[in-house]
Amino acid sequence: MQPLTGVKGMNDCFAPESGRWEWLEGQMRGLLHAWGYSNIRVPVVEPLQLFVRGIGEVTDIVEKEMYAFEDKLNGDQLALRPEITAGIVRAVIEHSALYNGPLRVWSIGPVFRHERPQKGRYRQFHQLDVECLGYPGPDVDAELILLTRALWQRLGLKEGEDIHLELNSLGEPAERAAHRAALVSYLQQHEAQLDEDARRRLHSNPLRVLDTKNPTMQALVDAAPKLLDFLGPESIAHLDGVRAVLDAAGLSYTLNPRMVRGLDYYNRTVFEWVTPHLGSQATVCGGGRYDGLIAQLGGKPAPGIGFGLGMERLLLLLETLQLGQGAVALDAYAVVPDGAPLGTVLPLLAGLRAKGLAVQMHAGGGSMKSQFKRADGSGARFALVFGADELARGEVNVKNLADGSQQAVSFSALAAWAASVAP
Ligand code: ATP
Ligand code: MG
């Protein structure tokens, strides 16, 4: 029978690659904990309407990229989440989670978009999603940006060189309406240069035209009326507030009036971290403020801001730059010749694990030669040999698999040895 294969654009991940994921997720968890953010877990499947109402009907995500389907058992219209923010907002409303005050939360998990798969662009990918709900800003806007910067620093990315911040303000609905009128009239004057998408969106969602990826429209879009020029005093003060904190923190950025982001719910602060190393998959992390979303989804009005970070893109970037080599890996592989008394071996291994070593025991028997081959292939730094002679002497033979050197370590000295080599 022909074996089944996975769905196009959806990837499997084995060690050692999965070790890099674990390592990265661990770095993120540690950082988020240190900044006072708590974990939230929400479903991968949500009602389709959540995304139609939240992200906006006339967006690439909802028009072309969403995995929407009918539940065959009850006819419900559902979707695989194309992003995590809407689900978190839905959950927060449903559980009145803002009742006791504002929230800072994070989640890491899969999201789904039916795009053309290529390097850094998949149909199932993963996001770190971080949200601050109930905070009007601009202090928290700047905090989120500085949090991402702290992550780059932790990972060894060079700010400004490997990754760069772009910032914009999308203002408030009234300011957008005034800009929209100017934008529509500008685009109408150049209608001949518009592609099919742009022509369709000219009236339904003209701001989206600025989000085009079509290279032949870039010049047109660059010269279009800028939303920044339509901001009122409060939106300007908000943007200035964010900028003041970033300036004080010595973070340099580009003010990019063309950045509109691919989702309709944003207002005021929007930002992206872009890299020159990943071609057209340049955005590693993007986010913004969504002060209207909670009310729009039926909740008591409250402001919000958050970002989504593409895990695969960040891992690709780290790999390109040879960073993040501290992947989670095995420390030791236990070679147990046939007949070795596991009643003696297992407590010794447990003692090593208690000292923080990752230890895998050989299972399934086999010659010493084949077991050493497994030890080499495991990626472990050490092989621990529990031969009959060693055990009789109350010792383990420790072989350094990198340089081949060996030493006998007595059972009583094993804990001290583990401490000396612990990662
Ligand atoms: P792009 O402009 O590259 O399509 P986007 O604006 O659609 O990105 P967001 O909706 O802001 O992306 O999602 C946040 C992050 O998720 C992106 O910055 C990117 O790192 C990542 N991302 C988005 N789409 C994909 C995908 N298809 N595969 C892998 N990562 C993705
Ligand atoms: Mg996209």
Side-chain angles (χ1 to χ4, degrees):
M1 214 205 309
Q2 193 72 0
L4 291 172
T5 55
V7 177
K8 188 176 169 196
M10 305 199 180
N11 302 315
D12 304 307
C13 180
F14 288 82
E17 178 62 12
S18 55
R20 298 180 63 237
W21 278 80
E22 277 189 88
W23 167 80
L24 179 60
E25 288 169 1
Q27 294 293 322
M28 289 172 165
R29 277 192 202 103
L31 183 78
L32 287 154
H33 176 69
W35 285 59
Y37 287 66
S38 57
N39 185 223
I40 179 170
R41 292 163 188 252
V42 292
V44 166
V45 176
E46 293 278 2
L48 172 62
Q49 275 309 307
L50 175 66
F51 303 113
V52 175
R53 277 165 64 185
I55 297 171
E57 211 146 356
V58 189
T59 54
D60 274 353
I61 294 180
V62 171
E63 279 186 337
K64 322 180 198 171
E65 299 173 357
M66 197 147 59
Y67 283 92
F69 58 97
E70 184 184 293
D71 183 331
K72 285 203 184 106
L73 298 177
N74 60 12
D76 286 354
Q77 297 298 315
L78 305 174
L80 298 182
R81 64 180 182 193
E83 53 103 50
I84 304 183
T85 307
I88 290 181
V89 170
R90 194 257 324 130
V92 163
I93 296 171
E94 193 169 332
H95 301 280
S96 307
L98 288 178
Y99 185 77
N100 289 322
L103 285 178
R104 287 172 163 100
V105 294
W106 65 271
S107 200
I108 296 179
V111 295
F112 304 84
R113 296 183 192 177
H114 195 101
E115 299 196 72
R116 193 169 64 78
Q118 52 197 292
K119 200 172 178 190
R121 195 175 290 283
Y122 311 101
R123 290 183 176 172
Q124 173 175 317
F125 62 101
H126 298 76
Q127 285 187 346
L128 162 66
D129 188 82
V130 182
E131 308 290 345
C132 297
L133 297 136
Y135 296 97
D139 49 359
V140 87
D141 307 30
E143 175 182 286
L144 271 181
I145 292 171
L146 295 175
L147 167 69
T148 48
R149 177 212 219 181
L151 178 64
W152 314 142
Q153 285 172 346
R154 208 178 242 239
L155 301 176
L157 291 170
K158 288 197 200 72
E159 185 183 310
E161 202 173 303
D162 300 327
I163 198 150
H164 176 77
L165 179 67
E166 302 207 340
L167 184 68
N168 191 19
S169 173
L170 298 182
E172 292 300 339
E175 295 153 9
R176 274 155 82 152
H179 169 255
R180 178 190 165 118
L183 181 62
V184 170
S185 102
Y186 167 85
L187 293 172
Q188 274 171 333
Q189 284 162 31
H190 301 89
E191 198 151 0
Q193 296 170 52
L194 300 183
D195 65 11
E196 198 193 312
D197 263 357
R199 226 164 270 179
R200 197 162 35 81
R201 290 170 173 182
L202 177 56
H203 296 288
S204 57
N205 196 343
L207 201 59
R208 275 284 82 75
V209 176
L210 301 181
D211 191 36
T212 181
K213 294 221 161 60
N214 185 347
T216 66
M217 284 191 21
Q218 294 307 316
L220 180 72
V221 153
D222 278 340
K226 294 180 174 50
L227 185 40
L228 269 182
D229 296 328
F230 290 79
L231 298 187
E234 286 181 28
S235 289
I236 290 175
H238 191 105
L239 178 60
D240 287 346
V242 178
R243 298 180 67 175
V245 183
L246 300 185
D247 290 342
L251 173 57
S252 58
Y253 54 86
T254 307
L255 204 56
N256 177 357
R258 277 212 33 216
M259 184 179 56
V260 298
R261 311 273 306 119
L263 306 90
D264 275 354
Y265 52 59
Y266 290 118
N267 70 311
R268 288 196 174 162
T269 314
V270 288
F271 65 94
E272 289 188 352
W273 285 95
V274 293
T275 174
H277 302 303
L278 294 180
S280 51
Q281 276 59 254
T283 311
V284 174
C285 170
R289 183 158 277 286
Y290 47 83
D291 294 334
L293 183 62
I294 297 178
Q296 193 184 317
L297 293 177
K300 189 166 158 244
I305 180 167
F307 68 78
L309 180 158
M311 298 290 288
E312 283 85 352
R313 284 194 197 171
L314 180 54
L315 282 161
L316 267 176
L317 177 60
L318 294 174
E319 196 179 302
T320 308
L321 298 169
Q322 306 248 304
L323 295 169
Q325 303 301 320
V328 173
L330 211 53
D331 297 305
Y333 191 95
V335 170
V336 279
D338 290 339
L342 293 188
T344 308
V345 173
L346 288 174
L348 293 170
L349 300 187
L352 295 173
R353 291 178 184 129
K355 287 284 165 202
L357 292 198
V359 186
Q360 188 178 88
M361 184 186 76
H362 181 84
S367 67
M368 294 292 270
K369 195 174 159 215
S370 69
Q371 292 201 30
F372 270 111
K373 221 170 139 189
R374 285 282 177 81
D376 277 325
S378 74
R381 293 183 289 146
F382 300 97
L384 308 173
V385 189
F386 292 90
D389 295 346
E390 285 96 345
L391 288 181
R393 285 196 298 272
E395 287 175 351
V396 182
N397 188 29
V398 176
K399 184 175 176 193
N400 183 325
L401 291 171
D403 61 18
S405 63
Q406 300 192 29
Q407 72 180 111
V409 179
S410 69
F411 293 172
S412 58
L414 263 180
W417 171 80
S420 74
V421 301

